[in-house]
Amino acid sequence: MRDWRIVMFIKRIVAISLVVFNAYLSLTVTAVEMSEGVRNRIAILKDSATGIDAETADVVADTLRRARFEVEFLTSETACAAAVLSPKKYFLYVIPNATAYPAAGADALTRYLQGKGNLMVLGTPPFEKPIWKHEGRWVDGTFVHDAVKNQKPT
């Protein structure tokens, strides 16, 4: 179980971020066509493959739900699909730990942002460590480097 001080710190950061984001949204929402249902929907990446601690994602989701937002968790795989990660479905996409992110999801994330979707990134440095799906599991550059290094000449 996490230290309660860490959980409280995360809750405060999320609450402050929401206040700032709500102020931003109230100023810019008129410039973006968005239905009321979508304006209330948030996607959160929750997948251990990207280094996201499930408890952190849950704290973020609980905080958003208390603020009356509808929250849905995405896996690394579903976040790579532009049909799933769409501004027509979610007005906000939250990545609790953006250090690692699926390389295959770059196009879907780009389309989401170009379509006027909003992004909240927690954790830095963002997108520093791309990951790829290999034989049913997510791997990073270290795995690829080690696999190449350990190849025996034929």
Side-chain angles (χ1 to χ4, degrees):
M1 185 67 152
R2 278 213 163 149
D3 185 302
W4 66 271
R5 291 173 292 205
I6 294 171
V7 172
M8 291 305 298
F9 176 75
I10 292 169
K11 286 182 178 182
R12 285 187 192 123
I13 293 298
V14 171
I16 291 168
S17 298
L18 283 174
V19 167
V20 171
F21 186 75
N22 279 333
Y24 165 79
L25 185 63
S26 68
L27 294 173
T28 61
V29 76
T30 55
V32 179
E33 284 188 33
M34 187 180 299
S35 71
E36 264 316 299
V38 172
R39 185 175 180 196
N40 198 38
R41 297 193 69 211
I42 298 174
I44 299 176
L45 181 62
K46 181 181 178 183
D47 196 326
S48 62
T50 58
I52 295 171
D53 176 60
E55 189 174 350
T56 301
D58 290 339
V59 166
V60 171
D62 290 345
T63 303
L64 291 166
R65 286 182 182 124
R66 278 195 299 280
R68 293 190 171 79
F69 289 101
E70 185 180 328
V71 175
E72 185 174 328
F73 291 115
L74 302 182
T75 65
S76 294
E77 202 151 334
T78 57
C80 293
V84 174
L85 183 58
S86 166
K88 293 179 181 177
K89 288 185 162 190
Y90 308 105
F91 89 94
L92 176 64
Y93 177 40
V94 179
I95 307 173
N97 176 11
T99 302
Y101 197 76
D107 287 340
L109 181 57
T110 300
R111 286 190 187 113
Y112 175 78
L113 294 171
Q114 287 174 338
K116 306 289 189 216
N118 298 286
L119 178 65
M120 179 184 289
V121 175
L122 307 173
T124 59
F127 311 113
E128 182 178 69
K129 184 175 139 183
I131 58 173
W132 298 267
K133 190 88 175 220
H134 174 70
E135 296 180 353
R137 67 183 183 131
W138 290 95
V139 298
D140 62 11
T142 304
F143 174 88
V144 174
H145 178 268
D146 291 346
V148 170
K149 182 179 160 185
N150 295 328
Q151 281 291 339
K152 304 284 187 227
T154 56

